[in-house]
Structures are given as C-alpha cells and as structure tokens.
C-alpha cells in the first residue's frame, strides 16, 4: 500500500534545460527523456517532434527558433511566418510556414505547412532565415483576399520596409485600410491617406484618415479608442467644419454590417460636390 502511494505521488522529472523554451524530440532524448515520458502531463506537443514544458508561457520567437532547430539548415520561414519576422502584425504560428528546396523530403504535418521551391530569395531576419519581403508578398498575393494584402502592404510601407502593392499607403490602422479598400473596390476614386489639413491661413488642424481634396471631404474611421478621445476629436472636428471641410465618420459596425450605405454616403458627397462645381462652371460661362 505504501509503495503504491509513493508511486502515485512521484513528481515527473522536468530537466531544467527543457524548461526555458520549446525543444525538439532529439533535444529531449539528449536530456534523458523518452518519447513515452513526453506524453505525460508535464509536456505539450506543439508540432511534429516539437514539445514544450506545460509551465512555459507561449512565446512566438522561441517557438520559431525551436522549429529552426528541427528543420534542414537551408529551410526558410515563408508566408505569414516570414511576414511576422519582418514585424508585420500577423499570426505566424497557426500554422508555421516554411520554404524548402524542391528536392527536400520534409513534408507538411501537424501545425506545419511546407512549400517547395527556389531558395535564392532568402534573407536572415532577426537571426532566422526567411523569404525576403518581395518573395513573401508574392506568395501571400496568391492566397490572401486583396483587402488583407493591402493591409499588410500599408503596414510594410509605414514601417519603412518598402512598397509591395500599387495601392500601398501609410495608413495608421488596418481598419482605415479596409475602409479605403471598400471605397476603391466599389468604383470610387482613390482617396488621399493621412493628409495634413490646414485652414485659410495655413494653421494645422489635423490629419485626415482619408481625404478627397476635390470635395473637401474628410473620411474618418472611429476605432475602439474614439470614445476615450471624444473631447479632442470633437474639438478637431469643429475646427475642420469651421474651415470649410466636410466630414463623414464610420465605425467597424458600419464597415462590416452596412458597407453599401457607407459607399452610398461617400458617393453622394462626391456627386454633390461635382454638381456644385458644374453649376458654378455653367454660371461663369453665362
């Protein structure tokens, strides 16, 4: 009886060397753990032959580094995994994406997608091999919706990484980009992005998320922090209206729940200005 109680209370062995980061099956065996021991409650399997201690906080960098040790030396992270290494705001781990040579025998598996191809367009990013940004964007363009590709291209431009899409602009948030894409894809003119607005004497009034100078039309996306900035935003809007600007404001609920009315309002505002300009032109000729 006492022998059974002692067996039940035995604490699983957790080598200190495996506590600090995810590790490979090879590293576990080197630390004295068998495959059957890794099936215990102290460990999590997070990929093919990739494990971590259950008390370890999730860390993207450490996970990618563990995969690096598991993969062939010439393999490179690709897709969203590569995009994350360039500091783009994406999920790099569900799944991990890598590029290997066309002759490699590495195959896709648990939480791993393997692409085969040329490894010439590869850079070392933050210590890890990854497809360069041009190659990364080419790959993403074949699978992401155009709006989301523009979101990433805007972020890359804002971070000073280069221009990877003809519509890329330094938008300050993904939702601003999605609003701009909604207008463009609906056939409306391409608005300016983050334009400085001034009054008649040149005094700076603020920056417009989106702006149509032909109509003095400012389009703002109100994010989750708008309520916290309400007083400042209201003062800014009053100054813009007093200076002759027209303003339309939209939220995520508008963008996702009622996109057609959003487009209709902007189209009407632009058409209204065109009608005014046409009447002025006709009057000047008479």
């Amino acid at each position: 009886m006492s022998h059974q109680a002692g067996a039940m209370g035995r604490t699983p062995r957790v080598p200190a060397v495996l506590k600090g980061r995810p590790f490979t099956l090879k590293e576990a065996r080197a630390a004295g753990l068998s495959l059957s021991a890794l099936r215990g409650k102290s460990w999590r399997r997070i990929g093919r032959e990739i494990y971590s201690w259950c008390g370890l906080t999730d860390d993207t960098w450490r996970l990618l580094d563990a995969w690096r040790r598991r993969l062939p030396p010439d393999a490179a992270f690709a897709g969203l995994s590569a995009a994350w290494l360039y500091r783009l705001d994406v999920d790099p781990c569900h799944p991990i994406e890598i590029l290997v040579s066309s002759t490699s025998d590495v195959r896709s598996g648990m939480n791993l997608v393997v692409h085969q191809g040329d490894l010439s367009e590869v850079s070392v990013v933050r210590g890890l091999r990854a497809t360069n940004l041009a190659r990364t964007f080419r790959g993403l363009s074949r699978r992401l919706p155009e709006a989301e590709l523009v979101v990433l291209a805007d972020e890359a431009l804002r971070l000073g990484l280069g221009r990877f899409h003809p519509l890329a602009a330094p938008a300050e948030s993904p939702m601003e980009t999605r609003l701009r894409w909604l207008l463009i894809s609906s056939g409306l003119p391409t608005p300016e992005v983050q334009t400085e607005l001034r009054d008649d004497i040149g005094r700076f009034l603020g920056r417009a998320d989106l702006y149509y100078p032909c109509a003095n039309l400012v389009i703002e996306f109100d994010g989750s922090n708008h309520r916290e900035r309400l007083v400042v935003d209201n003062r800014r809007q009053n100054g813009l209206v007093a200076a002759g600007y027209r303003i339309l404001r939209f939220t995520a609920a508008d963008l996702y729940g009622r996109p057609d009315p959003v487009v209709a309002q902007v189209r009407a505002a632009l058409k209204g200005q065109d009608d005014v300009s046409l009447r002025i032109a006709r009057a000047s000729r008479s």
Side-chain angles (χ1 to χ4, degrees):
M1 186 74 174
S2 60
H3 172 74
Q4 290 179 345
M8 291 176 63
R10 185 179 301 152
T11 301
R13 191 172 76 87
V14 180
V17 70
L18 301 181
K19 279 188 171 184
R21 56 173 172 77
F23 55 87
T24 66
L25 177 58
K26 181 178 178 181
E27 290 170 327
R29 285 172 169 160
L33 289 183
S34 65
L35 182 59
S36 61
L38 292 172
R39 296 191 180 106
K41 294 182 179 180
S42 295
W43 311 104
R44 289 184 297 159
R45 184 179 179 225
I46 53 179
R48 188 167 59 191
E49 298 187 8
I50 300 287
Y51 299 84
S52 75
W53 175 50
C54 64
L56 182 66
T57 303
D58 289 340
D59 184 290
T60 298
W61 177 260
R62 290 187 296 200
L63 179 58
L64 293 180
D65 188 53
W67 276 106
R68 176 191 62 80
R69 299 192 303 276
R70 165 74 177 78
L71 297 169
D74 63 343
F77 291 102
L80 295 179
S81 299
W84 183 86
L85 286 170
Y86 289 100
R87 295 185 169 83
L88 299 183
D89 186 16
V90 296
D91 177 0
C93 297
H94 300 92
I96 302 287
E97 295 183 70
I98 65 164
L99 177 69
V100 298
S101 69
S102 57
T103 59
S104 173
D105 59 359
V106 178
R107 296 292 180 264
S108 298
M110 178 184 175
N111 203 37
L112 179 69
V113 171
V114 176
H115 308 280
Q116 291 186 324
D118 180 22
L119 285 165
S120 62
E121 295 178 283
V122 169
S123 302
V124 176
V125 187
R126 298 158 67 184
L128 298 178
R129 284 170 58 83
T131 54
N132 63 31
L133 263 177
R135 173 69 178 272
T136 300
F137 268 91
R138 286 204 307 275
L140 293 175
S141 69
R142 293 191 287 269
R143 33 183 281 228
L144 290 183
E146 193 72 13
E148 298 311 302
L149 189 67
V150 177
V151 166
L152 293 185
D154 280 7
E155 187 177 9
L157 185 63
R158 188 173 67 251
L159 292 174
L161 299 174
R163 189 182 186 88
F164 297 98
H165 193 284
L167 292 178
E172 290 193 341
S173 78
M175 292 306 293
E176 289 177 22
T177 301
R178 294 182 182 110
L179 175 56
R180 184 171 99 252
W181 173 253
L182 172 64
L183 302 180
I184 295 170
S185 63
S186 299
L188 292 174
T190 300
E192 295 181 3
V193 176
Q194 292 299 316
T195 300
E196 290 191 356
L197 304 175
R198 300 181 181 276
D199 61 16
D200 291 340
I201 62 174
R203 182 174 51 193
F204 176 73
L205 300 175
R207 287 185 178 83
D209 292 342
L210 304 175
Y211 181 55
Y212 286 104
C214 62
N216 266 5
L217 178 61
V218 176
I219 301 174
E220 298 282 81
F221 178 81
D222 290 336
S224 57
N225 62 346
H226 172 61
R227 184 171 297 178
E228 301 168 4
R229 304 189 328 246
L230 191 58
V231 172
V232 173
D233 283 352
N234 285 346
R235 289 173 180 166
R236 174 175 170 272
Q237 177 164 314
N238 290 342
L240 291 171
V241 170
Y245 294 98
R246 297 184 297 157
I247 301 174
L248 291 176
R249 311 189 77 99
F250 299 110
T251 65
D254 295 320
L255 191 55
Y256 290 128
R258 46 190 303 276
D260 291 342
V262 169
V263 173
Q265 281 186 273
V266 175
R267 180 173 281 120
L270 294 176
K271 184 177 184 301
Q273 185 62 33
D274 288 343
D275 290 345
V276 169
S277 299
L278 182 59
R279 288 197 298 271
I280 292 174
R282 286 173 176 170
S284 66
R285 291 196 298 267
S286 62

